[in-house]
Amino acid sequence: MEKQKKKPSHFSFRMNLLFFSVFLLFSILILRLGFVQIVYGENFKRDLERKEEFTISNPVPRGHMYDRKFKVIVDNNPKKAITFTNEGFSQKEMLVTAEKLAKLISKNTDKVTERDMQDFWIMKHPMLANEKITLKEKDLYDAKKITDKDLYKLKLDRITKDELGLSDEELEVLAIYREISSGYKFTPQIIKNEDVTEKEFAVVSENLQFLPGVDTTTDWERSYGFGNTLRSVLGKVTKSDEGLPAEQLDYYLARGYSRNDRIGKSQLELQYEDVLHGNKSKINSSTNNMGNVIETKQITNGKKGKDLVLTIDMDLQMAIDKIVEEELWTAKKSPGTNLTDRAYVVLMDPRTGEVLTMSGKKIVKNNETGASEMVDDALGTFTTTYNVGSAVKGATILTGYKTGAISPGTPFDDAGIKIKDTPLKKSYAYLGKLNEIEALKKSSNVYMFQTAIKIGKGRYEFDQPLSFSNKKAFEDIRNSFSSFGLGARTGIDLPNEQTGFKGQSKLPGYLLDLVIGQYDTYSTMQLVQYVSTIANGGYRMQPHVVKQIREHAFETNELGTVAEEIHPTVLNTIDVKKQWMNRVQIGFKKVMQEPGGTAYKFFEGATYSPAGKTGTAEAFYDGPFRSNYGKEPPPVMNLSLVSYAPSTNPEVAMAVLVPWAYEGTVDNRASLKIGRRVMDTYFQLKSQ
């Protein structure tokens, strides 16, 4: 039998092919690894070593406010706080932190809304939330006919009340999570800063390593050494949960503020925000490529805000507040005072413009009890304006001199002025023939009317039409008045100053009203600037309430060095002869020191030699109950008083304004009663 031929083996061929393939693949892999190592090795090494750096800014306490005697008006009270800084945590990580923290502290849940609870439920139960979407709606979503936002809204709408039934513990977790998740990345967010107990503070501090992003620190809140005194002028600071105002967001962010920073939002706190805010402490942190913080380094310790030393004397302020309050309540007992609800006083140094007091009091109804109560309205001394009456007559006489309408000693008969088809315009009584000094002393309206007619270059005949050839008469008088501060910005270093209302009609009769203070409106601050200008001989001083800006002192109960001194500023000089100013000053002195003067009975015997001018204006009520009176508001009388003392080398100027002081004919003389007591108090306190 022929030997059978051996068949070739396919197994060995396949094994060889497999080994060759494996060898080839390993060769390619080794070549690729070598290529990656040589070409991209440094890049991968850098990625592994990559660090991200970010800076966290922590707020510092605001600067203090002191009065002129360095008594603390506004301070900072430290209080314990628990904060959270989002260093890039996920929602899940923040929720875990909230759950841990809820076991250590109690958290008020009043701010938790239904929407918060709905969002919280969806986050806690994502699968149940997805089941609330129908297949048809999912198809619409896949077809891009509805959006993620639409789907989310559908989930929210379909959550039942039973599903939202959170326990007290869950509500606290939600309240904490709400605060944690609402913060901005790398910006400390306050979780709790009210009523943090010693135990809470300690136990959180002990567990910080288990609470990523959480910290225990010291927060601050404004405190007021004199209670509500002058609070409306001191201003307010925003709360941490308010954040920066939207309309000024870019402005503050560009200056290094965080979105949830507290800032001054009114008056002095706002006006001097850049000074009071200070420089934040800054901490630089580094994270690795996994997002974990690996290094923390202090860059700056921060610097507390600078302090303000005010021109205000708080002892004097409180004494005058009390006077205004007492006299306002007393006035309310007089007939015709149903509408009387406020009074204002400003004292200023006529040599420097330093505001010594800004007193404003207003009677309001308590919404809870319905009882009337007195509140601070010092803000109204420069934000509200009224007809002030004859107090402006000093400016009228000086305007008459400047325009050539009158000269020293010019006499006029006090007989009333009768313009055709209008009521007789006269003084409160017939005062005979008098010159400008006697006209100021006795407060003659007619003398001012005649002066206005001369300024307007008019020709007056009894019961005939009155016209002026000087078509700029209103402008001439208003420009002159504004040089004293009447009807113009005084320049006070506070926001929202009002200049007053200027009557629009140019009928001749209104020009006569203008020169006796019964047409345009003025503020108490304008009045004190005006009388100061007469007191100091013609220099319109800019009023200011900040005297110094001081650096923060490192030692408690010490004052820092002076960073800036606010020097007196002359806004303009009145262009009048010294003789003219002297004659007005004599008239003002006679008002208060000579029998027959309109303020003599109230200032008789004053040892400080006062000078000044009274004012009574016929006006119409435009207060908080104006809507109760239809088209025609009731007529009222406004009372005013401007004064300075001593009459030679004066050191203090005063303006008193009592709007809507009375209706009818019974004058309660509130402005004069307040004025005498205020001046007496100033000199009494000075002598102590």
Side-chain angles (χ1 to χ4, degrees), residues 186-209:
F186 306 135
T187 300
Q189 179 80 8
I190 291 176
I191 299 173
K192 183 177 182 180
N193 64 352
E194 297 292 340
D195 303 320
V196 177
T197 67
E198 295 283 351
K199 182 179 179 181
E200 287 176 331
F201 196 79
V203 73
V204 172
S205 298
E206 292 169 1
N207 288 276
L208 290 179
Q209 68 270 33

Side-chain angles (χ1 to χ4, degrees), residues 159-166:
I159 298 172
T160 66
K161 288 185 178 181
D162 291 339
E163 288 172 325
L164 284 184
L166 302 179

Side-chain angles (χ1 to χ4, degrees), residues 412-458:
F412 286 120
D413 194 310
D414 195 56
I417 299 290
K418 180 68 172 73
I419 303 171
K420 186 174 178 61
D421 298 328
T422 64
L424 182 71
K425 302 176 79 69
K426 59 186 181 63
S427 302
Y428 57 91
Y430 176 63
L431 304 174
K433 196 171 186 179
L434 29 69
N435 63 19
E436 76 280 21
I437 292 178
E438 290 298 304
L440 288 172
K441 171 187 171 181
K442 298 178 180 180
S443 198
S444 166
N445 285 343
V446 175
Y447 195 98
M448 308 304 149
F449 297 156
Q450 294 287 6
T451 301
I453 292 170
K454 295 291 185 183
I455 293 171
K457 295 182 170 35

Side-chain angles (χ1 to χ4, degrees), residues 174-186:
L174 173 53
I176 294 172
Y177 176 78
R178 181 180 181 273
E179 299 291 351
I180 286 176
S181 60
S182 65
Y184 299 96
K185 198 172 181 181
F186 306 135

Side-chain angles (χ1 to χ4, degrees), residues 339-510:
L339 300 174
T340 307
D341 70 345
R342 63 194 67 189
Y344 303 102
V345 176
V346 177
L347 291 184
M348 187 170 91
D349 187 332
R351 303 162 297 186
T352 64
E354 293 181 2
V355 177
L356 306 177
T357 65
M358 297 171 65
S359 181
K361 290 293 178 179
K362 184 162 60 175
I363 299 172
V364 298
K365 182 172 287 188
N366 187 301
N367 291 330
E368 294 182 1
T369 65
S372 295
E373 61 183 18
M374 196 81 69
V375 297
D376 174 69
D377 190 31
L379 203 62
T381 58
F382 64 95
T383 62
T384 59
T385 64
Y386 309 91
N387 298 118
V388 301
S390 300
V392 305
K393 288 177 179 177
T396 300
I397 295 299
L398 287 166
T399 303
Y401 289 147
K402 286 197 296 181
T403 58
I406 60 173
S407 57
T410 296
F412 286 120
D413 194 310
D414 195 56
I417 299 290
K418 180 68 172 73
I419 303 171
K420 186 174 178 61
D421 298 328
T422 64
L424 182 71
K425 302 176 79 69
K426 59 186 181 63
S427 302
Y428 57 91
Y430 176 63
L431 304 174
K433 196 171 186 179
L434 29 69
N435 63 19
E436 76 280 21
I437 292 178
E438 290 298 304
L440 288 172
K441 171 187 171 181
K442 298 178 180 180
S443 198
S444 166
N445 285 343
V446 175
Y447 195 98
M448 308 304 149
F449 297 156
Q450 294 287 6
T451 301
I453 292 170
K454 295 291 185 183
I455 293 171
K457 295 182 170 35
R459 184 167 177 269
Y460 168 71
E461 291 185 18
F462 187 84
D463 205 24
Q464 294 299 310
L466 179 63
S467 61
F468 300 128
S469 60
N470 177 13
K471 302 304 180 184
K472 294 174 59 183
F474 277 93
E475 184 180 344
D476 290 343
I477 292 172
R478 282 174 172 152
N479 286 342
S480 178
F481 275 28
S482 67
S483 69
F484 293 89
L486 296 171
R489 296 197 183 280
T490 65
I492 190 168
D493 52 342
L494 289 166
N496 305 317
E497 179 182 11
Q498 299 299 306
T499 58
F501 171 80
K502 291 179 172 58
Q504 299 302 303
S505 175
K506 297 294 180 70
L507 291 175
Y510 289 124

